[in-house]
């Protein structure tokens, strides 16, 4: 999955203002409803570039809500506007979240390389054609699917056959999309941001269900900036080897976190929350919930008929069903199978 996030000040010029406001409903749930935190580990020399340049971000895909941690940090940096994804085709059918991506003209892939590479080249070049004053950040999950023990076992069998080092906490990265992305954005992206996210054990399990139940998750993210001119992207084989080495480094970094309960060697920073997503949620709650409460109150005042009672009950059951179904699609075990074409 790939996300494209443009600087908030340019959201209207990107035609993605609606997605920014819709995305804030999710960052509200994370930051304000559940109180979830995501602290950042980054060098001051790298921090100064965030939001000021085009970039390709590479993140590990180990959790149900790693994407939400990315949204929370981009909201805090004022970069949430203009978000767009490259994802599996079925994602556009997920209620609310998938519809947001669909109606903002996000790109959905078939998991067929012959077809998808044409889509990637066309759409990535379109993104890369944005003027330099519109800051674009593309987030890429190179593993292609979320981590499970079964997928990890299969992935490491492949690693052994191909002579790659064993990864303890990651799947082998899929290099074709990464190489093609860099080549399609040639001359447009000055840097890659390597991001590794992990969750502390003193918080709730990192699932969307826990977020909706108001349980606090505690995430920490290690970020480092890699100049694009240090990556051999003109040579496909060397570029693929570079990505494998990067994931070996990410694996060591994540293993360090599991032993220490934190990342080390880089200054820890807490980026303060902003109030925009809270304001957006309050506005939508006023617009949508107040009429509903008035309607229910009138039903109570006037006496609830059998027809009206059935309507309210049916509406509640349907809404609950779709909510549980969409949450179920976000869990790790519902992710795509490793090494199989969908």
């Amino acid at each position: 999955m790939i996300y494209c996030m443009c600087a908030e000040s340019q959201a209207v010029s990107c035609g993605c203002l609606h997605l920014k406001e819709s995305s804030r409903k999710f960052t509200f749930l994370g930051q304000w409803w559940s109180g979830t935190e995501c602290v950042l580990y980054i060098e001051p020399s790298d921090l100064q570039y965030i939001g000021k340049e085009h970039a390709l971000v590479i993140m590990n895909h180990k959790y149900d809500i790693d994407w939400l941690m990315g949204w929370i940090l981009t909201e805090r940096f004022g970069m949430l506007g203009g978000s767009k994804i490259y994802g599996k085709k079925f994602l556009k059918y997920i209620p609310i979240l998938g519809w947001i991506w669909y109606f903002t003209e996000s790109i959905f892939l078939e998991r067929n390389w012959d077809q998808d590479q044409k889509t990637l080249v066309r759409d990535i070049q379109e993104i890369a054609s944005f003027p330099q004053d519109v800051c674009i950040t593309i987030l890429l999950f190179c593993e292609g699917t979320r981590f499970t023990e079964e997928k990890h076992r299969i992935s490491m069998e492949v690693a052994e056959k191909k002579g790659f080092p064993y990864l303890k906490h990651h799947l082998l990265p899929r290099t074709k999309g990464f190489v093609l992305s860099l080549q399609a954005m040639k001359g447009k992206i000055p840097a890659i941001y390597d991001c590794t996210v992990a969750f502390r054990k003193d918080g709730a399990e990192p699932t969307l269900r826990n977020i909706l139940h108001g349980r606090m998750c505690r995430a920490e993210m290690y970020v480092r900036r890699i100049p694009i001119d240090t990556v051999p992207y003109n040579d496909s084989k060397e570029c693929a080897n570079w990505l494998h080495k990067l994931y070996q480094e990410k694996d060591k970094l994540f293993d360090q976190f599991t032993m220490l309960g934190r990342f080390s060697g880089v200054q820890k920073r807490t980026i303060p929350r902003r109030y925009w997503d809270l304001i957006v949620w309050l506005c939508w709650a006023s617009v949508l919930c107040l009429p509903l409460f008035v309607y229910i109150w009138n039903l109570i005042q006037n006496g609830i008929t059998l027809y009206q009672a059935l309507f309210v009950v049916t509406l509640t059951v349907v809404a609950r069903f779709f909510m549980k179904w969409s949450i179920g699609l976000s869990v790790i075990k519902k992710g795509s199978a490793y090494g199989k074409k969908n």
Side-chain angles (χ1 to χ4, degrees):
M1 184 183 295
I2 307 175
Y3 297 90
C4 165
M5 292 163 284
C6 308
E8 181 170 308
S9 61
Q10 301 293 336
V12 175
S13 65
C14 296
C16 297
L17 181 60
H18 172 69
L19 178 58
K20 177 181 70 176
E21 303 308 325
S22 300
S23 303
R24 281 180 171 155
K25 297 180 181 67
F26 286 91
T27 59
F28 162 79
L29 290 172
Q31 297 190 103
W32 299 95
W33 177 252
S34 71
T36 290
E37 270 296 339
C38 185
V39 299
L40 189 63
Y41 290 78
I42 189 170
E43 295 284 359
S45 57
D46 292 343
L47 182 61
Q48 64 179 328
Y49 287 101
I50 293 183
K52 298 178 182 178
E53 64 179 357
H54 294 345
L56 179 67
V57 177
I58 300 174
M59 184 185 290
N60 56 323
H61 204 10
K62 197 173 179 72
Y63 304 100
D64 291 354
I65 57 170
D66 39 28
W67 57 271
L68 182 56
M69 299 306 103
W71 273 11
I72 285 176
L73 281 180
T74 51
E75 159 55 29
R76 294 186 182 189
F77 278 105
M79 296 168 55
L80 185 59
S83 194
K84 185 180 292 187
I85 75 156
Y86 287 74
K88 296 184 287 286
K89 185 178 179 180
F90 89 91
L91 290 175
K92 66 182 179 181
Y93 301 112
I94 298 177
I96 304 176
L97 185 59
W99 300 341
I100 290 172
W101 290 329
Y102 177 78
F103 286 113
T104 50
E105 299 180 324
S106 293
I107 294 88
F108 296 94
L109 304 178
E110 300 282 351
R111 287 292 181 91
N112 181 312
W113 179 244
D114 291 336
Q115 181 176 344
D116 289 342
Q117 62 180 328
K118 299 176 183 178
T119 303
L120 282 171
V121 170
R122 182 189 67 237
D123 293 304
I124 290 177
Q125 286 181 341
E126 181 178 342
I127 293 171
S129 67
F130 284 13
Q132 289 297 319
D133 60 342
V134 179
C135 181
I136 300 171
T137 305
I138 303 175
L139 171 58
L140 170 63
F141 293 105
C142 292
E143 294 160 276
T145 185
R146 283 169 294 188
F147 183 99
T148 67
E149 292 300 331
E150 176 62 17
K151 294 175 187 177
H152 180 251
R153 180 187 62 78
I154 298 172
S155 180
M156 291 305 98
E157 289 176 356
V158 174
E160 184 177 3
K161 291 178 182 178
K162 293 186 175 183
F164 292 118
Y166 180 85
L167 299 178
K168 188 176 180 180
H169 304 285
H170 296 80
L171 309 178
L172 279 182
R174 300 182 180 185
T175 59
K176 286 184 179 180
F178 171 75
V179 173
L180 188 61
S181 296
L182 289 189
Q183 293 175 346
M185 286 191 154
K186 184 176 181 180
K188 296 291 185 178
I189 296 182
I192 291 174
Y193 286 78
D194 173 34
C195 299
T196 301
V197 63
F199 284 83
R200 290 165 45 182
K201 294 182 178 179
D202 57 348
E205 183 182 357
T207 65
L208 189 55
R209 188 181 302 276
N210 278 335
I211 294 292
L212 293 177
H213 287 171
R215 298 167 185 151
M216 179 187 293
C217 302
R218 298 182 181 274
E220 302 198 350
M221 188 181 295
Y222 184 100
V223 178
R224 59 172 177 157
R225 180 181 181 271
I226 303 171
I228 197 71
D229 55 14
T230 65
V231 182
Y233 60 86
N234 288 318
D235 186 318
S236 297
K237 184 176 181 180
E238 288 299 316
C239 189
N241 289 335
W242 182 91
L243 183 62
H244 281 292
K245 291 178 182 178
L246 180 71
Y247 266 77
Q248 293 162 27
E249 295 171 4
K250 291 172 75 69
D251 203 59
K252 293 177 182 178
L253 187 65
F254 193 94
D255 197 50
Q256 177 194 76
F257 183 92
T258 62
M259 292 186 293
L260 302 178
R262 58 181 175 81
F263 295 112
S264 62
V266 179
Q267 183 176 353
K268 180 178 179 180
R269 299 174 181 273
T270 300
I271 310 301
R273 292 183 296 183
R274 305 190 315 154
Y275 291 92
W276 284 109
D277 49 357
L278 177 59
I279 293 171
V280 167
W281 186 88
L282 290 174
C283 290
W284 277 108
S286 299
V287 171
L288 299 177
C289 295
L290 185 59
L292 178 61
F293 291 150
V294 171
Y295 175 72
I296 293 175
W297 175 251
N298 287 334
L299 289 181
I300 296 174
Q301 290 290 93
N302 299 324
I304 301 179
T305 65
L306 177 61
Y307 172 79
Q308 291 168 327
L310 287 175
F311 173 77
V312 173
V313 171
T314 301
L315 184 64
T316 302
V317 170
V318 170
R320 182 174 178 82
F321 169 79
F322 276 108
M323 181 64 70
K324 291 185 68 175
W325 179 69
S326 59
I327 292 174
L329 291 176
S330 73
V331 300
I332 288 177
K333 65 181 181 181
K334 294 292 185 178
S336 58
Y338 186 84
K340 296 181 180 180
K341 291 184 178 181
N342 293 341

